[in-house]
Amino acid sequence: MNRTNPAEYNHPFWGPYLSERQWGTVREDYSPDGNAWQYFPFEEAHFRAYNWGEDGLAGVCDRLQLLCFGIALWNGRDPILKERLFGLHNYEGNHGEDVKEHYYYLDNVPDHSYMAFRYQYPQLEFPYEKLKVENARRSRQEPEYELLDTGVFDNHRYFDVTVTYARAGEDDLLVRIDVHNRYHRPANITVLPSLWFSQMAQDKNAAPNIVAIGTNSARAWHERIGEWYFYSENADALMFTDNVTNKARMADSGVEERYAKDAFHTSITSASGLDKLWHRDHGTKLGALHQLRVRGGETKTIHCRLSRQQLAYPFDAGFAEVFNERKAAADAWYNSLLPAAVSDDQRNIFRQAIAGLLWSKQFYYFDVEKWLLKGDGLGAPSPQRLYGRNHDWQHLKNQDIICMPDKWEYPWYAAWDLAFQCIAFAPVDAAFAKQQLLLIMREWYMKPDGQLPAYEWNFSDVNPPVHAWAAMEVYSIEKKQKGSGDIVFLKKIFQKLLINFTWWINRKDRNGNNIFEGGFLGLDNIGVFNRSFYGEHMRLEQADGTSWMGTYALNMMDMALEIALHDESFEDTATKFFEHFVLIAESLNEHHLWNKEDRFFYDVLSIPGQEPIPLRIQSIVGLTSLFAVSTISRHTLNTLPDFKRRTEWFETYRKKYNKFWPNEERGDQEELLLSLVKRERLVYLLERLLDEKEFLSPGGIRALSKRHEEHPYSVTVDGIEYSIAYDPGDSTSEIFGGNSNWRGPVWIPINFLIIRSVRKYGRFYGDSLLVECPVGSGKMMNLCDVADELTTRVLSLFTRDEAGRRRCYGSYNDFYKNEGNGDLLLFYEYFHGDSGAGLGASHQTGWTALVAELIREGSERNQTHPAAG
């Protein structure tokens, strides 16, 4: 598929586009029952070739993922080389899939001219089996058994392996591998910088090859990317094999295939195996052998280079200078993004969050039609698959660089994660953020009926419709930076969002009364039962589904108004979304979703012949109504007379007949407020939000009220009792695989939305609306100050306290106080509702990178208003 980029974004040729886990993905699953974890487990990844992508350790690849580079390591004790990250699959972990490694994204810049990645490798045998057995033994009520718990890092007995990339030019990539021995005694390590062609490069029409041209150099060729020369300084040997499946291993025949994917494993880890590969000088996979002995506290360095030009002196004096120049340029760029007053600690958090965000880019290849109709060469295609997972998404043909939520835990794009990622991207690379939002709206992603693909496990699942909001956020951030906005971008995405909005209206408003369903809506186990699967004779009227659609309508109105200031043909479309918002707001507030006794919004279960059942769970489901808030300036109304006339008529008509009306006008008459909740109900919701006995935790807003710790909620439906209680840590529920938990922890994207919304209310109301924060403290704040307080609490998950501890590291803080570890950061998927310890995926930069935007915005406000918190 040769396509023009939808936003003409020119991806750098080399980038961090290599996945960190290709095994266990839906793309590699050709089983009749759709069990992707069992069909392609970790144990087969070193000898079985992939079909739809590649993975590697600290790796990069070209933008088509034809030629890949990464490292492999061996400590002299492990049964296999460490060439990919190890983790438990969904059925092995007591809380679902989980990576069991220590690695960090240290640095990156938008053009990937400077990148750094650190991996911490034990010198003792890696405890693969111990991690499996102990996690299998533990129940869902127990914590996960982590690598630090095994003792392999005790006494600092590990290597810090830092891989740094610096680009001398678009066609010249330099690599420095620093191996530092943290132990006090000498230790041996084998390092194997590796270059290989993916299976995608090895089709019938291409015959790629890597050929030795010297003792430390080789030439790689492919018809689509031409010639590339690889150099590895002072390598002990160049080893060659082919990136193909060892079918003898698959058949368990006991007959060795000498030049298959696992050849380096068998050669290096067996006592007499190295000479088997020393006499071969070509293949589709190369390893440059470096056998090192590193003294205690010593660092040894390996240099490699990939260039389009054949170089006589690839490691001359200018080699080191390139790294110095690229590092200095990266330092200057990051310094330009934040005011000088920002603390060193927050600068480091910001930089590693952005670095992780940039490392989250991945080349993603998936042609569903081809995947369904053809096998993987290991067996005949299964006819059951034609009616199984994603069978109705055969139009989906992805072959793009796109952001992953987490390149190990979630090495596939997720629609609503991507929206949040784009907001974090906007201040550092607005062009890429816009391209990503436009990309997922394209016809090779969006279904013809307008549905967006959720994620590869089930493209038909429904995520919250946040893309209009994200598009306006990205637009506004860039507009503020440049002084003018990209109206062409808004027009392009607005047209596609119209199709998606229509899908929502037609598919998720079953009764046509502006009360919406939607299923789990990205919140996994937030419900008392699985909200995506309940009795067919029932209807779940969702407070969050309805609120999300109110937010969607308001976002579309905002977008149409902004475009209409430049193109009047969009003015009546703004009116349409304004009126649609009013109707949704009426349904949310006048229907039975608002519980007058509890003063809270709840989902309502409707069963024929019975009274509607409000599911009285105090969770963020009932707080999503806060997200739909916008203001319209008097200037905009005066500039768009048709919109003003129509909205004034609509207001007069509805008030005449005593119908719900959501507007509120500021005293100076310069601004109108539109929101799903009026002032009185806003105060009620804030009373719960800001109560430390309910939603407010030291690290931000919990997903479920702490009140349910002492007051669990239960409901009986069709004779089955369902219960939910406050569960602040790892999930104890099996819903959606059990690796995510929305029943108490703190989630950064939800906190970001809440902070954004509360600040909008604060800007409108000013000091005319004061609330107690925290509840019971006696301290009264306006809502802008409340937003600042929430921001401070969220950032406290990452910042060092006076004792040098970070809340996110929980019981593992001692390890991160060791030499060399103090500045290392992980950006977890979610955080414990009480302690703030990081949980779930550990590299979710991803939406957790939004903390960088909170730091940046806060620094801007403090610079403009030094007295602000």
Side-chain angles (χ1 to χ4, degrees):
M1 290 179 285
N2 294 313
R3 296 193 297 263
T4 302
N5 193 297
E8 299 181 356
Y9 185 88
N10 184 28
H11 295 284
F13 187 87
W14 292 104
Y17 316 135
L18 193 63
S19 178
E20 284 161 0
R21 177 174 64 82
Q22 185 67 16
W23 61 270
T25 61
V26 168
R27 282 156 288 155
E28 300 296 337
D29 177 28
Y30 287 84
S31 66
D33 59 355
N35 192 331
W37 296 111
Q38 299 284 9
Y39 187 77
F40 202 139
F42 171 83
E43 289 74 16
E44 297 180 4
H46 67 285
F47 64 78
R48 184 172 164 186
Y50 300 125
N51 289 283
W52 296 95
E54 295 291 328
D55 59 21
L57 181 60
V60 298
C61 66
D62 67 78
R63 55 188 167 220
L64 299 174
Q65 202 173 101
L66 300 174
L67 188 59
C68 310
F69 176 86
I71 64 169
L73 307 169
W74 189 51
N75 56 16
R77 293 177 169 85
D78 290 349
I80 57 173
L81 300 182
K82 178 67 68 176
E83 65 175 353
R84 63 180 49 80
L85 298 168
F86 168 72
L88 306 179
H89 66 58
N90 186 262
Y91 310 129
E92 291 176 326
N94 59 329
H95 298 112
E97 65 267 29
D98 189 45
V99 68
K100 301 296 183 185
E101 299 275 15
H102 275 231
Y103 60 104
Y104 308 88
Y105 303 129
L106 298 184
D107 225 339
N108 212 324
V109 290
D111 68 355
H112 309 308
S113 59
Y114 186 79
M115 302 182 284
F117 180 109
R118 178 169 297 169
Y119 177 71
Q120 294 179 323
Y121 188 36
Q123 295 173 12
L124 296 174
E125 182 176 346
F126 194 91
Y128 292 105
E129 194 62 24
K130 191 174 184 180
L131 286 164
K132 283 186 181 182
V133 170
E134 179 59 23
N135 277 285
R137 186 192 65 78
R138 295 191 178 195
S139 70
R140 289 193 180 277
Q141 284 67 40
E142 295 176 276
E144 295 175 0
Y145 187 64
E146 303 292 5
L147 188 57
L148 276 176
D149 299 324
T150 68
V152 292
F153 286 115
D154 290 356
N155 302 315
H156 318 294
R157 199 169 180 178
Y158 62 92
F159 296 104
D160 274 344
V161 182
T162 304
V163 182
T164 306
Y165 297 92
R167 208 175 63 219
E170 180 69 13
D171 298 334
D172 195 3
L173 182 68
L174 282 57
V175 188
R176 186 181 68 218
I177 304 168
D178 295 311
V179 182
H180 182 80
N181 183 1
R182 288 288 172 193
Y183 196 44
H184 64 277
R185 292 179 179 174
N188 297 330
I189 184 172
T190 297
V191 183
L192 198 71
S194 302
L195 186 71
W196 72 97
F197 280 110
S198 68
Q199 278 289 299
M200 297 174 292
Q202 302 176 55
D203 58 32
K204 295 178 181 178
N205 300 317
N209 205 2
I210 307 173
V211 181
I213 57 173
T215 56
N216 291 311
S217 59
R219 178 181 69 92
W221 177 88
H222 187 279
E223 63 178 9
R224 295 189 67 182
I225 60 173
E227 286 186 334
W228 284 86
Y229 293 89
F230 175 75
Y231 304 91
S232 189
E233 187 178 32
N234 298 324
D236 296 320
L238 295 186
M239 304 166 65
F240 292 86
T241 189
D242 291 317
N243 182 24
V244 295
T245 297
N246 188 337
K247 292 187 177 179
R249 294 285 301 274
M250 289 297 298
D252 198 23
S253 66
V255 179
E256 180 184 2
E257 287 194 26
R258 190 171 184 181
Y259 300 121
K261 183 179 178 180
D262 61 341
F264 298 161
H265 293 266
T266 56
S267 294
I268 292 174
T269 61
S270 63
S272 59
L274 281 175
D275 60 343
K276 294 181 181 179
L277 297 178
W278 279 0
H279 304 297
R280 198 181 197 219
D281 64 356
H282 68 280
T284 55
K285 184 175 182 179
L286 171 154
L289 184 68
H290 293 261
Q291 295 175 304
L292 308 178
R293 183 166 178 80
V294 189
R295 295 192 302 270
E298 182 188 19
T299 300
K300 287 198 172 181
T301 300
I302 296 168
H303 293 150
C304 300
R305 190 165 190 166
L306 264 169
S307 176
R308 279 199 188 275
Q309 304 299 318
Q310 190 167 4
L311 305 173
Y313 304 102
F315 304 108
D316 58 14
F319 186 91
E321 188 57 32
V322 172
F323 285 90
N324 295 334
E325 291 174 359
R326 294 293 173 263
K327 176 67 163 59
D331 290 345
W333 180 73
Y334 274 106
N335 286 335
S336 73
L337 297 174
L338 297 175
V342 176
S343 69
D344 289 343
D345 190 26
Q346 286 201 7
R347 284 181 180 279
N348 181 50
I349 296 166
F350 177 88
R351 185 163 183 162
Q352 288 191 48
I354 296 301
L357 187 68
L358 291 162
W359 273 98
S360 73
K361 295 181 184 181
Q362 180 181 309
F363 179 82
Y364 184 89
Y365 178 36
F366 198 14
D367 181 335
V368 173
E369 183 179 27
K370 180 179 177 182
W371 174 72
L372 288 170
L373 296 177
K374 295 184 178 181
D376 60 355
L378 299 177
S382 171
Q384 292 99 310
R385 299 176 66 249
L386 296 176
Y387 308 98
R389 176 179 285 133
N390 297 327
H391 70 276
D392 54 344
W393 285 81
Q394 294 189 39
H395 77 285
L396 189 137
K397 300 179 186 335
N398 301 162
Q399 196 175 4
D400 300 286
I401 292 167
I402 189 165
C403 289
M404 304 293 113
D406 178 310
K407 289 207 300 188
W408 191 94
E409 190 116 4
Y410 307 115
W412 27 259
Y413 63 87
W416 81 309
D417 294 63
L418 184 66
F420 290 108
Q421 286 174 286
C422 289
I423 295 169
F425 259 114
V428 298
D429 194 348
F432 180 75
K434 292 184 291 185
Q435 184 265 348
Q436 293 285 282
L437 287 170
L438 289 168
L439 179 64
I440 202 168
M441 300 283 164
R442 291 305 298 253
E443 56 274 16
W444 55 90
Y445 286 81
M446 180 187 281
K447 214 173 184 181
D449 63 9
Q451 184 179 11
L452 293 178
Y455 44 80
E456 68 176 31
W457 286 94
N458 185 0
F459 285 127
S460 293
D461 260 342
V462 182
N463 285 166
V466 293
H467 297 84
W469 169 74
M472 280 304 294
E473 288 284 325
V474 169
Y475 171 85
S476 299
I477 290 169
E478 185 184 36
K479 182 179 180 180
K480 187 174 181 180
Q481 286 182 329
K482 294 185 174 180
S484 61
D486 187 346
I487 293 296
V488 173
F489 160 70
L490 276 193
K491 285 184 174 182
K492 281 184 175 183
I493 201 162
F494 186 82
Q495 302 293 346
K496 290 301 182 76
L497 288 166
L498 281 174
I499 303 170
N500 179 247
F501 187 90
T502 303
W503 176 84
W504 271 91
I505 296 300
N506 291 337
R507 295 299 181 92
K508 297 301 173 182
D509 180 11
R510 194 190 305 183
N511 294 339
N513 61 356
N514 293 303
I515 297 293
F516 291 85
E517 299 172 78
F520 89 114
L521 284 176
L523 307 184
D524 292 24
N525 63 348
I526 195 73
V528 68
F529 47 72
N530 188 336
R531 299 196 301 166
S532 293
F533 300 99
Y534 47 89
E536 292 184 5
H537 62 293
M538 307 174 192
R539 181 174 186 238
L540 185 63
E541 299 175 331
Q542 295 185 215
D544 57 338
T546 304
S547 296
W548 283 122
M549 284 307 293
T551 305
Y552 199 171
L554 203 54
N555 298 148
M556 292 295 281
M557 182 205 73
D558 285 340
M559 198 178 299
L561 287 174
E562 182 71 16
I563 299 171
L565 293 173
H566 304 267
D567 184 345
E568 64 181 16
S569 66
F570 281 75
E571 192 171 354
D572 59 344
T573 313
T575 306
K576 173 260 182 298
F577 283 108
F578 170 81
E579 295 187 4
H580 207 142
F581 167 76
V582 172
L583 296 177
I584 294 172
E586 177 183 43
S587 294
L588 180 72
N589 285 276
E590 302 296 308
H591 203 58
H592 46 231
L593 298 180
W594 175 258
N595 186 285
K596 294 181 179 179
E597 180 183 354
D598 295 348
R599 297 176 176 178
F600 204 77
F601 288 107
Y602 294 129
D603 287 349
V604 174
L605 186 65
S606 294
I607 303 174
Q610 298 183 28
E611 285 292 314
I613 304 171
L615 303 178
R616 297 170 72 170
I617 306 163
Q618 288 158 22
S619 74
I620 54 171
V621 166
L623 297 176
T624 51
S625 55
L626 295 173
F627 304 157
V629 54
S630 184
T631 55
I632 306 175
S633 69
R634 183 64 57 186
H635 169 74
T636 297
L637 288 172
N638 291 337
T639 306
L640 302 173
D642 184 72
F643 177 79
K644 182 181 180 183
R645 282 194 300 270
R646 177 63 188 178
T647 54
E648 288 176 348
W649 176 89
F650 198 49
E651 179 180 7
T652 301
Y653 173 84
R654 291 188 65 81
K655 288 183 175 179
K656 178 180 178 180
Y657 292 100
N658 296 315
K659 291 180 175 290
F660 179 85
W661 188 249
N663 276 18
E664 187 170 344
E665 191 167 337
R666 204 163 65 185
D668 58 11
Q669 298 184 339
E670 288 302 309
E671 203 169 39
L672 293 176
L673 177 76
L674 284 172
S675 65
L676 279 179
V677 289
K678 291 189 175 182
R679 179 170 174 148
E680 181 183 37
R681 290 187 179 179
L682 171 63
V683 172
Y684 291 151
L685 293 176
L686 289 173
E687 286 174 355
R688 293 194 182 278
L689 184 82
L690 302 177
D691 190 339
E692 292 177 323
K693 296 177 181 177
E694 294 206 34
F695 286 98
L696 185 61
S697 84
I701 300 301
R702 303 177 174 104
L704 184 78
S705 171
K706 191 175 174 65
R707 176 183 179 276
H708 289 300
E709 185 173 41
E710 296 182 1
H711 304 281
Y713 174 77
S714 297
V715 64
T716 300
V717 181
D718 284 354
I720 302 174
E721 184 180 51
Y722 300 91
S723 298
I724 188 171
Y726 177 67
D727 196 4
D730 285 308
S731 176
T732 58
S733 163
E734 294 185 3
I735 297 177
F736 283 86
N739 64 331
S740 294
N741 184 24
W742 291 83
R743 295 182 172 182
V746 171
W747 289 77
I748 300 302
I750 295 301
N751 275 263
F752 187 85
L753 277 161
I754 289 171
I755 290 167
R756 273 282 207 269
S757 301
V758 169
R759 193 175 300 284
K760 280 187 180 180
Y761 282 113
R763 286 171 179 158
F764 180 83
Y765 286 117
D767 288 336
S768 71
L769 177 57
L770 301 179
V771 296
E772 191 177 26
C773 179
V775 169
S777 68
K779 187 174 182 180
M780 304 303 292
M781 296 184 183
N782 65 39
L783 298 191
C784 285
D785 288 340
V786 169
D788 289 343
E789 171 65 17
L790 295 178
T791 298
T792 298
R793 290 186 179 228
V794 169
L795 293 181
S796 76
L797 295 169
F798 304 93
T799 53
R800 285 197 192 98
D801 64 15
E802 293 179 357
R805 301 170 68 86
R806 301 187 194 273
R807 197 188 300 272
C808 62
Y809 283 137
S811 61
Y812 299 112
N813 260 285
D814 287 347
F815 178 78
Y816 288 97
K817 292 171 74 174
N818 290 340
E819 183 181 356
N821 295 343
D823 290 332
L824 298 178
L825 285 155
L826 294 175
F827 297 87
Y828 292 89
E829 184 180 4
Y830 55 97
F831 300 83
H832 195 283
D834 296 330
S835 71
L839 299 166
S842 56
H843 292 73
Q844 192 93 357
T845 47
W847 56 24
T848 302
L850 287 167
V851 298
E853 181 60 3
L854 292 177
I855 291 171
R856 189 192 70 85
E857 283 190 336
S859 68
E860 285 187 350
R861 283 194 306 276
N862 291 340
Q863 194 173 35
T864 307
H865 307 288

